[in-house]
């Protein structure tokens, strides 16, 4: 049984000349560029970035050992640092001091995505002072304290740069702290403590991820998941970034050794020359590779038994659509005995679908009502993969499910009705092909009496295609004739009003409505003519 | 049954007698084909105190008539025999088994002057009783299975036992005088419900059936009206009749009784939900109490299956579940804990819908139109004429003569297959309109002074447009 791994290194890593006695390798986190500097630049500097199709190569004079080398955005300006106190720009440019701040700093970290710099201050180093760079200004954010597991006496630097990482998770900035020993006496294991830095500047501890083990760790963020690499056991544990509402994060047990896929050249996993960079970069300097860490979703479905939680997990991932659909149609999932689970899953999916539909609708309305009504121009809502609509569900899950052998037809109908119920609950208009599927399945199994009741109570909403389908069933089921004529009589140009209103008061069962509308009886003659034309849509009926 | 006529002629009263049951018997001619064996044909005879030879004579007469008429039409034997004083109805529910009902015609006893004995006038009118006979059989079949099944299980003796046990009680509940159009239809009244609540009920039913595999069919009623049936139509039809005319009234009387009445059932105070069993254990907390579930027979793919009827109730919401094997106390407890809470929630949802509906449609007042509607396809019936229907009482707000006219129209409709419309001017200002369109029948009674045909027609059209706007009636 091949072990399925759910994390892998990217297939085409950026290759560069590996570090050696003559070649120094530098990595710029902001632009994600790798600089291979040979002989201090004299024999060449090769710069490779993630998006660059071709590398940039140039030479510069060897004026001493290079400590740090970076490009500005667009590779316009080169900066080289050779001493601890000066930076050289080979091209002549003018520099202007914008702002200065005087603080005792132990170390710093910079997060390029959010343009926030974090400074470690005080002797112990655990008071962190963030600054935000916005629109050419530098603003001070409120400082916060990292709780140390042990307060050293006398005070000394207890928080090192290696224990802190900054990351953007679900659009929010977090400071992750790798706490090696938790304060509680009976659990010596390590934890990752997440501090949320909100845009307003306030910071508070938001989550604690328990690792249940000790050792050397490294952190990455992939697809909004916190990946903790654990060197001793060669298997990255994989606690996903929790939902912001949950305070107890989901922690996967140390799963089977997740082996990253083999790149063309075999290389040692977690070798000592591996460096981990935020958010999702792993570099092996000794071999000359830069990889992006990627999540493979299909194997993750086995990690969570609770399908509801699994859905929550999958709905937040980028490339989730096909995995979600395959979970839905997995035979282990859609077997008898799992109706409540089915219902929960449908509800979760339809919640996301509904949110998207509403966003689309408000965008369309805003566009139609004319631009610039004081509010900022709205962006068209992006349809993420997590939006599973009815055609997705029909094509990938439901239509094949209804054909499946060995499943009781009662269960098939029950699942279809659960989906329709869920759509109705979220006030989403049900597409007619779903109703057709229900009708076909009912007819296939001779459940005519059920069909009749569903139509009577408008569970299967009236529409012209449905009426035609019913007419075609007349030879198998004579009452279909009556039902289809009724359906054609009702003005079927507003099926939305039936499904979408939660308060269908009194307008329910056909035979028993107490309060009725009063369309004129000329409807009947229109209905008759519609009926005659619709019979042509079936070809020869008898 | 005696009814005093409001007509007073010269101070002395006329007495009207409604139809009454003279005799009822079941026979099978193949059981006693030879001379001297006639008695073996008779499987059941009511009244039982009639002399043996007379029984044989009556049965023989029916048999002869049926045989004789068969020569003229082999496929359709005689259905009834009308004589001056009584009427006999014949029905063959299963091959060679015949059920016969003999009913005395309605008559009027007119008092005579001069001390002469009163003259009796027999009335000719359509009677809606064949459907009654069919119902007798269906009800028997519901609780006992078919005749042939009894024969297979225990021969003639068993069959006779079963027939005796069942019909002896059942015939006492027959009220022929109140047999009217609704009895002919044997329809089901459906409860109006919005789509979302209906889907929730579906979801509930599916889950219950999934978790408790012993449950084969489920159905839902609210306030004596059907919401959902998992049973085939024919089975549901007779079961509905049984529930609404027998089971529910039996249980509602104690409920309606006052708080201190000894009739009030011991409600096993369950704080979690309001569910209780109407059949089966009335008090789950008492481990010693015996309980049983009635057995019923429903149609299955290969004949009939015998199932147990569980009727479970929360306020006005009744859910009945039909399970396939003998049920234990543990199962009942499991059912109670699973179904009770969810059903309580559903009941309050439905009740909310119901009260909103009532508020919108206005308080209970004299309905605008008096009509009876029936759809043969789904057995849906609706009547604004009948106010309360139980086994013993059937209150109609309409004069019996008008009901008779309805019956006549119905018989007319039954004779032909095509759609038709019949308008009758009855006494005083009453008009009766009957419309038949594609398996649906609508009967309207209008009371309008000096109305003419056109106006009546317009009124009926208006009724169709308002009350039945989403039903396609051919004009």
């Amino acid at each position: 049984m091949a072990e399925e791994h759910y994390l892998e290194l990217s297939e085409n890593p950026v290759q560069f000349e590996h570090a050696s006695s003559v070649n120094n390798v530098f990595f710029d986190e902001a632009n994600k560029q790798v600089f291979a500097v040979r002989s201090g630049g004299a024999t060449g500097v090769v710069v490779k970035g993630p998006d660059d199709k071709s590398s940039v190569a140039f030479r510069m004079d060897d004026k001493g050992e290079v400590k740090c080398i970076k490009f500005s955005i667009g590779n316009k300006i080169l900066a080289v640092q050779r001493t601890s106190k000066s930076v050289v720009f080979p091209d002549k440019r003018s520099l202007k001091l914008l702002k200065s701040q005087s603080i005792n700093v132990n170390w710093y970290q910079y997060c390029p995505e959010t343009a926030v710099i974090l400074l470690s201050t005080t002797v112990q180093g655990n008071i962190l002072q963030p600054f935000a760079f916005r629109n050419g200004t530098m603003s001070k954010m409120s400082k916060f304290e990292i709780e140390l597991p042990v307060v050293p006496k006398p005070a000394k630097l207890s928080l090192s740069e290696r224990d802190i990482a900054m990351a953007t998770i679900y659009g929010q900035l977090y400071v992750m702290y790798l706490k090696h020993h938790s304060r509680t006496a009976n659990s010596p294991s390590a934890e990752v403590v997440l501090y949320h830095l909100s845009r307003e500047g306030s910071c508070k501890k938001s989550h604690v991820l328990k690792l249940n083990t000790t050792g050397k760790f490294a952190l990455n963020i992939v697809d909004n998941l916190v990946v903790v690499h654990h060197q001793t056991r060669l298997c990255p544990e994989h606690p996903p970034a929790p939902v912001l509402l949950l305070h107890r994060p989901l922690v996967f047990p140390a799963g089977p050794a997740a082996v990253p896929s083999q790149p063309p050249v075999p290389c040692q996993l977690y070798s000592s020359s591996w460096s981990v960079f935020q958010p999702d970069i792993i570099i092996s300097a000794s071999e000359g590779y830069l990889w992006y860490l990627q999540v493979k979703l299909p194997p993750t479905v086995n990690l969570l038994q609770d399908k509801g939680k699994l859905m929550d997990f999958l709905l937040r991932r980028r490339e989730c659509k096909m995995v979600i659909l395959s979970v839905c149609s997995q035979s282990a999932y859609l077997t008898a005995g799992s109706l409540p689970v089915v219902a929960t899953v449908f509800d979760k999916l339809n919640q996301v679908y509904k949110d998207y539909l509403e966003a689309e609708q408000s965008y369309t309305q805003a566009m139609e009502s004319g631009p610039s009504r004081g509010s900022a121009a709205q962006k068209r809502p992006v349809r993420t993969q997590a939006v599973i609509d009815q055609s997705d569900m029909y094509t990938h899950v439901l239509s094949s499910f209804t054909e499946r052998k060995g499943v009781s037809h009662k269960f098939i109908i029950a699942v279809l009705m659960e989906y329709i119920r869920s759509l109705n609950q979220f006030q989403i208009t049900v597409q007619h092909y779903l109703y057709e599927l229900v009708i076909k399945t009912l007819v296939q199994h001779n459940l005519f009496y059920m069909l009749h009741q569903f139509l009577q109570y408008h569970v299967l909403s009236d529409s012209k295609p449905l009426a035609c389908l019913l007419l075609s069933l007349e030879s198998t089921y004579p009452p279909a004739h009556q039902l289809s004529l009724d359906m054609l009589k009702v003005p079927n140009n507003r099926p939305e009003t039936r499904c979408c209103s939660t308060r269908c008061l009194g307008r329910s069962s056909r035979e028993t409505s107490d309060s009725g509308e009063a369309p004129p009886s000329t409807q009947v003659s229109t209905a008759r003519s519609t009926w005659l034309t619709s019979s042509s849509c079936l070809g020869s009926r008898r | 049954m005696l009814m005093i006529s409001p007509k007073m002629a010269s101070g002395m009263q006329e007495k009207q007698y409604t139809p009454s049951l003279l005799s009822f018997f079941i026979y099978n001619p193949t059981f006693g084909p030879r001379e001297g064996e006639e008695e073996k044909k008779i499987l059941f005879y009511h009244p039982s105190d009639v002399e043996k030879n007379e029984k044989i004579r009556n049965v023989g007469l029916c048999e002869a008539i049926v045989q004789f008429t068969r020569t003229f039409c082999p496929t359709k034997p005689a259905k009834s025999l009308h004589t001056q004083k009584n009427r006999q109805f014949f029905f063959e529910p299963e091959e060679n088994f015949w059920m016969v009902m003999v009913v005395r015609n309605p008559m009027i006893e007119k008092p005579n002057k001069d001390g002469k004995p009163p003259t009796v006038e027999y009335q000719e009118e359509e009677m809606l009783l064949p459907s009654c006979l069919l119902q007798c059989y269906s009800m028997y079949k519901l609780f006992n299975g078919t005749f042939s099944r009894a024969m297979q299980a225990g021969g003639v003796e068993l069959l006779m036992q079963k027939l005796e046990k069942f019909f002896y009680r059942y015939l006492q509940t027959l009220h022929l005088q109140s047999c009217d159009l609704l009895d002919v239809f044997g329809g089901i009244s459906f409860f109006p419900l919005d789509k979302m609540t209906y889907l929730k009920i579906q979801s509930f039913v599916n889950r219950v059936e999934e978790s408790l595999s012993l449950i084969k069919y489920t159905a839902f009623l609210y306030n004596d009206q059907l919401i959902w049936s998992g049973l085939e139509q024919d089975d549901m039809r007779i079961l509905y009749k049984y529930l609404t005319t027998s089971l529910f009234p039996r249980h509602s009387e104690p409920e309606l009784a006052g708080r201190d009445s000894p009739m009030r059932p011991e409600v096993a105070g369950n704080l979690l939900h309001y569910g209780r069993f109407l059949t089966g254990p009335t008090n789950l907390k008492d481990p010693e109490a015996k309980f049983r579930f009635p057995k019923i027979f429903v149609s299955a793919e290969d004949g009939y299956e015998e199932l147990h009827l569980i009727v479970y109730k929360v306020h006005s919401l009744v859910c009945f579940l039909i399970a396939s094997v003998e049920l234990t106390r543990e199962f009942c407890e499991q059912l109670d804990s699973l179904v009770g809470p969810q059903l309580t929630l559903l009941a309050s949802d439905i009740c909310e819908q119901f009260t909103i509906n009532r508020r919108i449609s206005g308080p209970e007042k004299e309905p605008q139109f008096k009509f009876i509607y029936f759809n043969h396809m789904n057995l849906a019936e609706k009547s604004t004429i009948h106010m309360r229907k139980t086994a013993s009482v059937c209150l109609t707000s309409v004069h019996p003569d008008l009901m008779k006219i309805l019956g006549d129209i119905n018989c007319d409709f039954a004779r032909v297959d095509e759609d038709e419309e019949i308008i009758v001017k009855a006494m005083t200002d009453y008009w009766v309109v009957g419309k038949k369109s594609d398996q649906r029948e609508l009967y309207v009674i209008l009371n309008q002074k000096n109305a003419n045909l056109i106006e009546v027609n317009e009124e009926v059209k208006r009724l169709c447009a308002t009350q039945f706007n989403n039903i396609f009636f051919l004009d």
Side-chain angles (χ1 to χ4, degrees):
Chain A
M1 180 174 72
E3 275 186 354
E4 291 266 32
H5 47 269
Y6 43 84
L7 285 173
E8 63 180 0
L9 302 172
S10 51
E11 272 184 3
N12 298 313
V14 175
Q15 293 191 6
F16 52 88
E17 196 181 331
H18 63 89
S20 65
S21 52
V22 293
N23 189 35
N24 286 337
V25 178
F26 299 93
F27 179 63
D28 173 20
E29 287 189 53
N31 295 333
K32 312 278 188 282
Q33 286 172 321
V34 179
F35 290 74
V37 180
R38 285 184 128 249
S39 318
T43 45
V45 178
V46 178
V47 185
K48 284 196 183 177
D51 306 323
D52 301 345
K53 293 288 177 268
S54 55
S55 53
V56 175
F58 58 89
R59 289 215 176 128
M60 58 185 193
D61 300 332
D62 183 3
K63 293 198 179 130
E65 181 209 352
V66 171
K67 284 196 176 357
C68 183
I69 179 168
K70 288 179 200 274
F71 262 127
S72 70
I73 297 171
N75 301 348
K76 294 220 171 63
I77 306 172
L78 181 68
V80 182
Q81 182 185 13
R82 292 201 175 89
T83 69
S84 62
K85 286 188 185 159
S86 66
V87 176
V88 175
F89 300 92
D91 295 334
K92 251 195 155 50
R93 295 201 184 255
S94 61
L95 215 56
K96 180 172 141 190
L97 175 68
L98 288 176
K99 189 151 182 198
S100 71
Q101 190 93 43
S102 199
I103 305 180
N104 279 337
V105 177
N106 300 314
W107 47 262
Y108 78 94
Q109 275 208 4
Y110 178 67
C111 175
E113 280 99 12
T114 49
V116 169
I117 192 170
L118 202 61
L119 307 174
S120 160
T121 63
T122 73
V123 177
Q124 285 171 347
N126 66 331
I127 304 289
L128 299 180
Q129 172 68 67
F131 285 87
F133 293 90
R134 239 164 259 152
N135 304 329
T137 59
M138 178 170 115
S139 49
K140 197 171 184 174
M141 294 165 72
S142 43
K143 58 186 175 198
F144 61 96
E145 178 181 342
I146 300 272
E147 282 171 21
L148 294 172
V150 175
V151 180
K153 289 214 173 2
K156 62 176 168 81
L157 185 62
S158 316
L159 188 68
S160 98
E161 189 182 346
R162 280 196 309 268
D163 298 332
I164 292 287
M166 293 169 78
T168 323
I169 306 176
Y170 297 125
Q172 299 289 317
L173 178 61
Y174 287 86
V175 175
M176 300 191 287
Y177 167 47
L178 252 178
K179 198 183 218 183
H180 291 282
H181 303 284
S182 129
R183 207 176 277 226
T184 56
N186 46 2
S187 68
S189 68
E191 294 173 347
V192 176
V193 184
L194 287 158
Y195 291 81
H196 176 226
L197 267 176
S198 72
R199 254 166 262 261
E200 296 80 51
S202 64
C203 172
K204 60 180 173 65
K205 184 157 94 166
S206 64
H207 301 91
V208 176
L209 311 176
K210 292 197 192 308
L211 299 174
N212 294 327
T213 183
T214 55
K216 284 182 79 172
F217 301 98
L219 294 170
N220 267 140
I221 304 286
V222 185
D223 198 5
N224 289 315
L225 294 169
V226 176
V227 177
V228 181
H229 300 279
H230 188 195
Q231 190 172 34
T232 324
R233 292 172 54 186
L234 282 185
C235 52
E237 289 188 27
H238 197 171
V243 180
L244 290 174
L245 299 170
L246 280 177
H247 291 288
R248 200 178 59 75
L250 305 165
V251 178
F252 292 114
V259 177
S261 66
Q262 295 300 316
V265 177
C267 62
Q268 192 193 11
L269 270 185
Y270 290 122
S271 74
S272 52
S273 74
W274 274 31
S275 322
V276 166
F277 291 95
Q278 296 307 317
D280 55 352
I281 291 174
I282 295 177
I283 294 182
S284 170
S286 60
E287 286 149 337
Y289 290 109
L290 181 154
W291 291 284
Y292 282 91
L293 193 58
Q294 289 166 340
V295 171
K296 264 180 71 173
L297 278 182
T300 61
V301 303
N302 299 319
L303 290 171
L304 278 171
Q305 292 313 311
D306 182 335
K307 294 284 183 269
K309 290 201 180 130
L310 177 62
M311 276 300 141
D312 286 334
F313 169 72
L314 289 174
L315 281 167
R316 290 184 169 78
R317 309 278 80 83
R318 259 194 314 263
E319 305 284 318
C320 56
K321 178 175 276 200
M322 294 320 290
V323 181
I324 290 177
L325 289 170
S326 81
V327 168
C328 288
S329 64
Q330 239 175 19
S331 37
Y333 162 66
L334 277 181
T335 46
S338 56
L339 268 180
V341 178
V342 171
T344 313
V345 169
F346 284 154
D347 285 341
K348 286 193 193 283
L349 295 177
N350 285 330
Q351 175 69 69
V352 175
Y353 178 32
K354 174 71 180 172
D355 291 340
Y356 169 71
L357 285 176
E358 275 182 343
E360 267 278 313
Q361 198 180 30
S362 61
Y363 171 78
T364 329
Q365 274 175 355
M367 287 299 113
E368 277 170 9
S369 63
S372 66
R373 270 173 56 230
S375 56
Q378 278 192 348
K379 275 198 316 191
R380 196 194 179 113
V382 171
R383 183 179 166 151
T384 60
Q385 283 218 3
V387 176
I388 311 273
D389 67 6
Q390 292 172 66
S391 77
D392 292 328
M393 194 57 91
Y394 177 82
T395 322
H396 297 276
V397 181
L398 296 174
S399 60
S400 53
F401 175 59
T402 52
E403 305 288 320
R404 198 174 294 182
K405 304 273 179 284
V407 187
S408 88
H409 57 261
K410 247 189 181 179
F411 186 68
I412 295 178
I413 306 285
V415 169
L416 289 172
M417 294 316 291
E418 273 299 336
Y419 188 57
I420 290 176
R421 189 231 12 108
S422 181
L423 288 170
N424 268 293
Q425 194 167 306
F426 289 98
Q427 297 171 297
I428 302 171
T429 312
V430 182
Q431 296 299 318
H432 69 91
Y433 47 79
L434 286 177
Y435 292 141
E436 277 171 21
L437 192 60
V438 173
I439 293 180
K440 275 193 251 180
T441 316
L442 288 172
V443 169
Q444 218 178 331
H445 297 282
N446 294 324
L447 298 169
F448 293 111
Y449 191 45
M450 257 173 108
L451 172 63
H452 208 125
Q453 290 183 84
F454 284 163
L455 287 166
Q456 189 177 327
Y457 276 94
H458 297 300
V459 167
L460 309 174
S461 299
D462 303 342
S463 68
K464 199 131 142 221
L466 228 57
C468 290
L469 175 62
L470 285 172
L471 273 178
S472 67
L473 289 174
E474 196 190 335
S475 48
T476 336
Y477 182 56
H481 177 78
Q482 190 189 80
L483 291 163
S484 64
L485 285 182
D486 287 345
M487 204 181 273
L488 287 168
K489 181 188 177 187
V490 175
N492 54 13
N493 51 357
R494 35 186 186 97
E496 310 79 42
T497 52
R498 296 223 183 192
C499 321
C500 284
S501 62
T502 43
R503 299 257 165 249
C504 270
L505 308 164
R507 297 216 63 248
S508 34
S509 157
R510 282 198 164 88
E511 337 285 348
T512 56
S513 51
D514 292 320
S515 60
E517 299 174 339
S521 52
T522 50
Q523 284 284 346
V524 177
S525 46
T526 344
R528 228 185 261 148
S529 55
T530 333
W531 173 46
L532 291 170
T533 55
S534 74
S535 67
S536 62
C537 81
L538 302 164
S540 55
R541 208 150 54 77
R542 260 194 248 240
Chain B
M1 173 147 151
L2 183 65
M3 265 177 61
I4 303 296
S5 159
K7 285 188 280 204
M8 308 269 275
S10 60
M12 289 206 273
Q13 288 177 340
E14 249 180 25
K15 288 196 213 144
Q16 263 188 359
Y17 288 88
T18 54
S20 63
L21 184 68
L22 284 179
S23 63
F24 178 92
F25 48 88
I26 302 174
Y27 71 91
N28 186 332
T30 60
F31 289 172
R34 290 192 293 272
E35 281 277 340
E37 279 188 339
E38 288 87 358
E39 201 183 350
K40 288 197 195 157
K41 293 185 224 173
I42 304 175
L43 299 166
F44 175 79
Y45 198 101
H46 166 86
S48 48
D49 50 1
V50 164
E51 207 235 317
K52 184 177 92 167
N53 283 327
E54 188 172 332
K55 287 188 194 176
I56 294 175
R57 249 204 321 273
N58 288 336
V59 171
L61 177 65
C62 292
E63 200 187 327
I65 288 168
V66 169
Q67 277 300 101
F68 176 66
T69 53
R70 239 200 249 272
T71 54
F72 298 101
C73 182
T75 49
K76 281 194 190 168
K79 281 200 189 140
S80 64
L81 172 71
H82 300 197
T83 60
Q84 187 196 23
K85 291 188 187 169
N86 59 30
R87 214 170 277 207
Q88 304 191 30
F89 298 98
F90 312 118
F91 178 52
E92 189 185 13
E94 296 173 40
E95 200 179 345
N96 288 324
F97 285 95
W98 286 88
M99 292 170 76
V100 178
M101 185 188 276
V102 183
V103 176
R104 192 188 57 207
N105 282 340
M107 59 188 193
I108 298 178
E109 206 177 70
K110 289 206 178 104
N112 264 333
K113 313 184 216 352
D114 318 331
K116 277 200 205 155
T119 32
V120 178
E121 233 178 62
Y122 287 97
Q123 296 190 311
E124 263 292 316
E125 66 183 33
E126 287 289 351
M127 281 206 261
L128 309 173
L129 295 172
S131 56
C132 199
L133 197 51
L134 173 59
Q135 208 170 78
C136 288
Y137 172 69
S138 304
M139 200 60 94
Y140 168 84
K141 197 174 72 168
L142 179 69
F143 291 105
N144 295 288
T146 56
F147 294 156
S148 21
R149 194 178 179 280
M151 290 290 298
Q152 278 170 9
V156 184
E157 293 78 34
L158 181 64
L159 179 59
M160 286 176 71
Q161 262 175 32
K162 280 181 182 275
L163 290 173
E164 174 72 39
K165 187 167 161 204
F166 179 78
F167 280 108
Y168 178 70
R169 267 189 309 168
Y170 186 71
L171 289 174
Q172 289 171 6
T173 66
L174 268 188
H175 296 270
L176 297 178
Q177 69 281 6
S178 58
C179 188
D180 68 8
L181 201 57
L182 280 187
D183 294 296
V184 175
F185 294 145
I188 299 174
S189 183
F190 284 89
F191 182 76
L193 200 61
D194 69 294
K195 186 153 105 157
M196 194 61 227
T197 316
Y198 192 82
L199 283 168
K200 277 195 215 161
I201 291 178
Q202 274 295 301
S203 191
F204 166 76
V205 166
N206 288 330
R207 286 184 212 206
V208 167
E209 288 186 6
E210 197 196 23
S211 335
L212 302 169
S213 55
L214 291 178
I215 306 284
K216 282 198 90 167
Y217 306 99
T218 314
F220 255 79
L221 285 96
Y222 189 84
N223 261 356
D224 284 7
Q225 288 178 297
L226 186 66
I227 294 178
W228 160 256
S229 163
L231 280 174
E232 286 288 332
Q233 213 174 56
D234 289 329
D235 296 320
M236 191 60 226
R237 191 181 206 171
I238 191 68
L239 189 56
Y240 178 79
K241 184 92 187 163
Y242 165 66
L243 290 171
T244 50
T245 56
S246 175
L247 188 70
F248 295 153
R250 217 188 318 147
H251 282 90
S252 69
E253 272 141 50
E255 258 184 10
L256 295 171
R259 213 171 261 272
D260 300 321
S261 159
M263 270 167 83
R264 193 168 177 82
E266 242 341 284
V267 178
N270 190 328
L271 297 168
L272 295 173
H273 62 82
Y274 291 100
R276 61 190 185 91
F277 286 90
L278 285 189
T279 61
T282 41
N283 188 354
L284 273 177
K285 294 216 172 102
D286 182 0
E288 299 302 313
K290 295 258 181 288
F291 61 92
R292 52 171 286 279
F293 292 100
K295 283 201 214 140
I296 60 172
F297 289 80
V298 298
S299 50
E301 277 133 27
D302 51 352
Y304 284 86
E305 47 182 333
E306 187 178 345
L307 301 166
H308 296 265
L309 177 67
I310 308 170
V311 182
Y312 190 83
K313 183 174 154 116
V314 170
H315 299 314
S316 309
L317 178 62
V318 178
C319 166
F320 61 87
L321 311 151
I322 307 190
S324 50
V325 298
E326 199 66 50
L327 304 163
T328 62
R329 174 166 290 281
E330 287 78 39
F331 178 80
C332 294
E333 281 168 1
Q334 191 187 5
L335 185 75
D336 184 61
S337 59
L338 176 68
V339 171
Q342 294 186 41
L343 210 57
T344 308
L345 285 173
L346 276 174
S348 62
D349 272 347
I350 296 175
C351 186
E352 200 187 301
Q353 286 289 319
F354 185 55
T355 40
I356 292 174
N357 280 352
R358 291 284 283 272
R359 219 182 300 140
I360 291 207
S361 66
E364 192 80 45
K365 55 181 193 298
E366 190 68 24
Q368 197 185 12
F369 291 103
K370 291 201 170 137
F371 65 85
I372 296 179
Y373 165 85
F374 179 67
N375 185 349
H376 285 272
M377 282 304 177
N378 65 352
L379 308 179
E381 70 178 21
K382 187 168 181 194
S383 165
T384 54
I385 292 176
H386 294 82
M387 262 110 63
R388 199 165 78 92
K389 235 174 115 58
T390 61
S392 48
V393 178
C394 185
L395 293 176
T396 57
S397 59
V398 154
H399 197 276
D401 287 346
L402 288 171
M403 293 304 291
K404 287 202 196 103
I405 296 177
L406 292 185
D408 289 343
I409 298 179
N410 173 258
C411 288
D412 251 5
F413 282 162
R415 275 194 259 268
V416 283
D417 263 340
E418 284 106 38
D419 298 342
E420 54 178 28
E421 184 177 280
I422 296 178
I423 304 182
V424 174
K425 174 137 192 355
M427 67 281 198
T428 57
D429 292 318
Y430 282 102
W431 288 79
V432 178
V433 179
K435 241 170 122 81
K436 177 173 152 176
S437 164
D438 187 27
Q439 304 287 324
R440 289 181 164 125
E441 295 182 28
L442 176 66
Y443 301 85
V444 187
I445 296 176
L446 296 168
N447 183 6
Q448 282 186 324
K449 262 187 140 41
N450 303 322
N452 59 29
L453 202 58
I454 297 174
E455 284 167 16
V456 165
N457 205 19
E458 287 300 314
E459 270 295 299
V460 171
K461 274 208 182 127
R462 207 160 65 85
L463 165 66
C464 288
T466 51
Q467 294 278 345
F468 301 103
N469 59 302
N470 46 10
I471 287 171
F472 183 62
F473 270 118
L474 282 168
D475 270 333

